[in-house]
Structure formats: structure tokens, C-alpha cells
Amino acid sequence: MPSGLLAERVRRDVEVVAHAGLDLDNFLSEALLSIQRAVPFVGACFGTVDPATRLLTGTRKSGDLAGRDERDHEWGLLEYGASEATTFTRMADVGERAAGVHLSTAGHTDESTRLREIIRPAFGYGDEARALCLDQGHLWGAAALFRSTDERPFQAEEVEFLASLALFMGAGVRGGLLASLSASAPGDSPVGPGVMIVDEADAIVQVNPGADRWLHELALGGTGTSPDGVISSLVGAARRFSRGDWPSPPRARIRTATGLWLVLHATPLSARNGAVGEVVVTIEEARPPEVVPLVVAAFGLTNRERDVVSLILQGMDTKEMGLHLHLSTWTVQDHLKSIFEKASVRSRRELIARVYFDQYVPRLSTGVGPSGWFTA
């Protein structure tokens, strides 16, 4: 249980690294080292999510769990295919910033399918504490901390302390995304979408050449570890969508280690051939309208500043923006100054390049067509 002085020191340390401009991996490394001083754990798994859809976009593991990806596929199916009280999406829905499985089940941890079927038998952990990473009303990621079966379960005071870090952790994850936008130049994009079919037994039974290429891109490291959990989380959510228990066909935007933004979709298939539970997953290069809102959200802009950025991307000058937004040119200039500072740029040209990055800048001169993609 963290003492008052220790808790305050750790909380301050996490706040500092959250605003230090670190990339995601370095932020998580520093933050988890600090948190472990107050809330000890033997292993940790951190999942990043698409803030618009809350679908998994990658996992990063540390401690005893580092490099252990063999059960990611099953985990993704349970995390997004079931409605357990301590799933990340359910916690976000009810406003619960942190939770412990032992606490939430009153000690009956076998009530948690995740703990009973995966965590305890595969890894030897007896309890799990989960904490959300929230910023500006969006879920950006979540952490899962584990203790072995011979250790004391996470206590209420520890879970409460983890909840107090939610906004700092959210700011750090959002900032980590922002810090990585120019970290690498994108590679060549293969032509055409990747398509894979997942059968009712959760096995990938068909893939096209594009899917093999895109899965290779994801496996290079942009998602942190194996992409199995990302794919299975989409499949699990698609099955819930088919039952009316998920709001829309699931999709997630992911940036690979080579700098490409991808968008992944999953859709349940109709049972015309007698098969039930089949899901088609598509992977393709993300179009600018799919990526721009995520990048702009990472800047931490106000609603009015987002309006200004939208008009900048449409090519409007300061006077035109003022007329469109019913603002004086001086007020528009103030907004531009704030936007440039938050985006770490010095001009509109740099801002446009930072929003679209290298993936799209070479094609900007061709213009964007009605489909949201660049014209030939």
C-alpha cells in the first residue's frame, strides 16, 4: 500500500514524464518504473487503443510478461468478445478509472473468465489490477498489472492510487503518439487491401497476398508486439456487433514501425453456406480523412483550434478563416499561434506536413477526390 509521501512522489514523477515529450515506449518505461515503487507487480501489459473506437492498436509488455505473446489471440477474443465487468471498454463506459479483479469479484477470481482461463494457468498470476489512460474525454490506452498467486492481491488503496494517475497516463500516451509522428519515414505501400477470413473456431482460414504483406508490416514492431491480439480483438468485437452488443462494425487505425498508417476493419459474414461466426478482416492504407482526426486530437487542441486546423487543411487564408468562423483576424492569429505551439511547428506548411506526415505529403499536389483518397 503506498504511503502518503511515497504516493505523492510517484504521482509527481508520472506527471513530469507525461509532459516531457517522450515517445510512447520511453514514457511507458519511465512511468511503470515509478508506479512499481508504489504498487508492486511482477508483470505488466499495456495496450494502446484507437481513441475513437477504443479498439486495440498494440500491446507492450514488461517484467515477467516481457516477450510472452503466445496467448494474445485468446486474450483479444475474450477482451472484446465478452462483456466482463473489468474489460477496458466496460470500465470506460461506467467511468471506472481503475479496478482489481480480486476486489471486483469479492475474492472469487474464478468468476473472471480472463483470469481463470488465461492469466492464472498460462502465467501463474493470481490477481490483476487495471488502470485506464484518459485525456480530453478519450481513452488512449490501458495498463494491466499482475501479481503471482503467492502474493497479496491488489488492495483497494492501491487501485484508488492507480485511478488517480489516469489523466497523467492519458496525457503521456497521447503525447507519446505525437512524439512518434515524425520518428520514421514510411516505406512503400503495397497496392490493394489485405483480406483474411477467420472461421467460427477463430482460425485464419484464408488470406490474400495483401494481408500477408500488411501482417508483416504490423509484426515489424509498430504495434509493440505480435499483431495477434489486435486481429483477435477486432474479431471478438465483430461477433459482438453481430449480436447487437457493439455499436458499429469495429475498426482501428494503427501506425506501423515503418511509418505507414493502416486502418483495420472487421465484419461478420452472413451464414449463406451454413457456416456461423465467420468474420472478414480487411487491412489497407488509411486515407487522410481517417487519420487526420486522430493526429489532430493528439495535439490537444480546443474545439475552436480544431476548426482552424480544418480550414488550414482546406487552404483558407487568415481572412477567409475569420469570415467563415465569424472571428477577427487577430483572434484567428491567436489561435494559429496556440496551434503552432501545441503541434511544435512554426508555419502552416509545417503544420500540414505534420498532420499528413511523409506518408501523404508527396501526393498532396494531386488533390483529394470525393472518396477521400488522392486523385491520380
Side-chain angles (χ1 to χ4, degrees):
M1 182 189 313
S3 66
L5 182 58
L6 176 59
E8 187 53 39
R9 285 177 176 172
V10 171
R11 190 180 292 110
R12 185 170 63 249
D13 288 347
V14 174
E15 182 180 11
V16 168
V17 297
H19 296 93
L22 300 177
D23 62 44
L24 183 59
D25 288 321
N26 282 317
F27 164 69
L28 291 177
S29 177
E30 293 292 333
L32 289 175
L33 279 175
S34 294
I35 292 171
Q36 193 165 35
R37 293 160 48 204
V39 183
F41 55 87
V42 295
C45 178
F46 186 89
T48 53
V49 302
D50 185 318
T53 64
R54 301 190 299 196
L55 263 295
L56 187 72
T57 58
T59 57
R60 287 160 172 81
K61 299 170 186 174
S62 61
D64 180 64
L65 201 56
R68 304 178 70 179
D69 305 332
E70 64 271 15
R71 305 298 289 272
D72 284 7
H73 181 71
E74 298 166 73
W75 179 89
L77 290 169
L78 281 177
E79 182 69 26
Y80 284 90
S83 55
E84 194 169 312
T86 53
T87 62
F88 296 134
T89 53
R90 178 61 182 269
M91 290 170 61
D93 285 339
V94 301
E96 190 172 19
R97 294 184 173 184
V101 173
H102 187 274
L103 286 169
S104 66
T105 62
H108 302 290
T109 54
D110 274 352
E111 293 179 4
S112 167
T113 306
R114 184 178 67 251
L115 199 73
R116 183 182 69 248
E117 296 187 0
I118 299 178
I119 294 171
R120 186 184 297 119
F123 306 108
Y125 302 144
D127 194 22
E128 175 186 13
R130 297 188 144 201
L132 304 185
C133 303
L134 303 165
D135 189 73
Q136 300 182 350
H138 294 291
L139 179 67
W140 291 85
L145 312 179
F146 301 96
R147 284 180 178 167
S148 61
T149 53
D150 58 356
E151 292 181 296
R152 183 181 66 171
F154 291 99
Q155 303 297 293
E157 295 85 353
E158 293 174 313
V159 172
E160 183 179 355
F161 173 73
L162 292 174
S164 74
L165 302 177
L167 299 182
F168 299 144
M169 292 295 292
V173 174
R174 179 180 61 78
L177 171 65
L178 193 60
S180 70
L181 290 183
S182 57
S184 60
D188 294 332
S189 168
V191 177
V195 179
M196 63 182 72
I197 305 295
V198 180
D199 69 10
E200 66 275 10
D202 304 319
I204 298 175
V205 293
Q206 295 184 60
V207 297
N208 72 344
D212 284 332
R213 171 64 186 271
W214 288 129
L215 288 174
H216 176 69
E217 285 279 342
L218 292 174
L220 289 176
T223 62
T225 56
S226 162
D228 290 353
V230 173
I231 300 300
S232 62
S233 69
L234 286 160
V235 173
R239 294 215 174 101
R240 288 184 65 182
F241 171 70
S242 69
R243 300 193 300 265
D245 194 27
W246 195 267
S248 59
R251 69 179 182 90
R253 296 161 292 183
I254 300 177
R255 192 175 189 231
T256 71
T258 58
L260 283 171
W261 278 100
L262 304 178
V263 59
L264 286 70
H265 300 265
T267 306
L269 295 177
S270 300
R272 293 187 178 180
N273 62 352
V276 178
E278 289 188 334
V279 174
V280 59
V281 177
T282 60
I283 311 173
E284 58 186 329
E285 184 181 356
R287 301 182 178 196
E290 294 166 321
V291 177
V292 169
L294 174 59
V295 177
V296 172
F299 293 151
L301 307 180
T302 65
N303 288 336
R304 181 58 84 186
E305 288 168 349
R306 293 187 189 195
D307 292 339
V308 172
V309 169
S310 176
L311 298 180
I312 290 174
L313 297 179
Q314 294 177 40
M316 288 191 185
D317 60 26
T318 302
K319 183 178 180 180
E320 290 172 324
M321 286 190 283
L323 292 172
H324 187 87
L325 298 173
H326 305 289
L327 299 174
S328 70
T329 55
W330 301 109
T331 301
V332 173
Q333 290 285 8
D334 287 340
H335 286 313
L336 288 172
K337 181 179 179 181
S338 176
I339 292 166
F340 291 167
E341 182 177 347
K342 291 178 179 179
S344 299
V345 299
R346 293 172 296 180
S347 68
R348 298 186 193 200
R349 183 181 295 274
E350 287 184 14
L351 177 66
I352 292 171
R354 189 147 172 77
V355 169
Y356 286 118
F357 8 126
D358 295 336
Q359 180 171 354
Y360 303 126
V361 167
R363 286 171 278 182
L364 286 176
S365 61
T366 63
V368 178
S371 67
W373 197 232
F374 293 101
T375 57

